[in-house]
Amino acid sequence: NFPEKGWEMKDGELTILGKDGRESAGPGDIVTINSFSDFELILEFKITEGANSGIKYFVDPGLNKGSGSAIGCEFQVLDDDKHPDAKMGVSGNRTVGSLYDLITAENLSVEGRGKQFKGVGNWNVARIVSKDGKVEHWLNNEKVVEYDRFSQMFRALVAYSKYQKWDNFGQWPEGPILLQDHGDTVSYRSIKIKEL
């Protein structure tokens, strides 16, 4: 069921109200009823200082029986400057726009330019496109991640990540989409999804 408290819908914005910075220790994540395979998801997010959240897809809500969020591929939503997770992982693969713990977000649209994060307190546009196994992350209309979730390279990245213990991680035929409660205040709006 939708959490009874901790998420607020006001003025067209869906906000997880910060608690203590722990993952899914408050009201919990929001997960779609439907599952998706080939899709385009676009939404806007706004983070507060030091905040952490995520947009997960190809989620298996039944996998993680312990504490924390459900398991799935994640478009990281993070304050890279103030949240310690940005310095963890490998070579920045836990920073905003990244495929969390797997692939570092970098500007693939404009050579030589960094990713275009508009900063804390401002609205940023996230876009995830999944079609025939090819997945892209876009941040503010510039591509920052692309991968083939059925490739040898993807399987190799998973084998050396926190996801290695889950068989076929990221390769399930379909899964719901999730907005993560990570104990920090983060807002979402203009959420749209199209099946491809």
Side-chain angles (χ1 to χ4, degrees):
N1 296 325
F2 193 89
E4 292 182 10
K5 58 183 180 179
W7 286 88
E8 175 182 85
M9 178 60 100
K10 186 176 180 184
D11 299 326
E13 299 174 14
L14 180 61
T15 302
I16 174 67
L17 303 174
K19 195 165 179 172
D20 58 10
R22 290 185 301 142
E23 183 180 351
S24 297
D29 305 324
I30 293 177
V31 185
T32 60
I33 293 170
N34 294 341
S35 289
F36 301 90
S37 181
D38 290 345
F39 66 90
E40 179 179 7
L41 171 68
I42 188 165
L43 56 76
E44 295 179 57
F45 67 90
K46 180 170 64 174
I47 61 173
T48 54
E49 187 173 315
N52 185 350
S53 184
I55 306 156
K56 295 189 179 186
Y57 52 98
F58 292 108
V59 170
D60 185 337
L63 266 189
N64 185 13
K65 301 299 184 189
S67 62
S69 188
I71 303 305
C73 298
E74 179 178 351
F75 181 114
Q76 174 73 309
V77 173
L78 191 79
D79 179 353
D80 290 351
D81 293 330
K82 298 285 177 73
H83 196 285
D85 213 20
K87 313 288 187 287
M88 300 172 76
V90 178
S91 300
N93 66 1
R94 294 184 176 187
T95 57
V96 66
S98 295
L99 175 60
Y100 180 78
D101 208 45
L102 295 169
I103 301 174
T104 304
E106 57 186 54
N107 196 323
L108 303 176
S109 294
V110 181
E111 188 174 340
R113 183 161 86 173
K115 61 186 176 185
Q116 299 299 293
F117 178 62
K118 294 181 180 178
V120 170
N122 296 309
W123 288 104
N124 290 271
V125 179
R127 179 173 165 237
I128 301 166
V129 181
S130 170
K131 178 72 173 165
D132 299 328
K134 309 291 191 296
V135 182
E136 300 172 351
H137 288 188
W138 294 71
L139 178 63
N140 294 316
N141 302 313
E142 294 181 348
K143 191 191 310 183
V144 292
V145 167
E146 61 183 352
Y147 66 99
D148 182 339
R149 65 191 188 96
F150 298 114
S151 68
Q152 289 177 311
M153 183 59 68
F154 180 76
R155 288 193 294 273
L157 289 169
V158 171
Y160 289 95
S161 76
K162 67 183 280 184
Y163 302 113
Q164 61 183 273
K165 60 185 172 183
W166 288 290
D167 290 339
N168 300 315
F169 171 83
Q171 298 184 317
W172 305 310
E174 61 181 21
I177 292 170
L178 175 153
L179 298 180
Q180 186 184 44
D181 163 20
H182 209 297
D184 299 313
T185 300
V186 177
S187 297
Y188 295 95
R189 72 179 185 187
S190 301
I191 303 168
K192 302 178 183 82
I193 188 159
K194 176 172 67 174
E195 295 191 80
L196 302 177

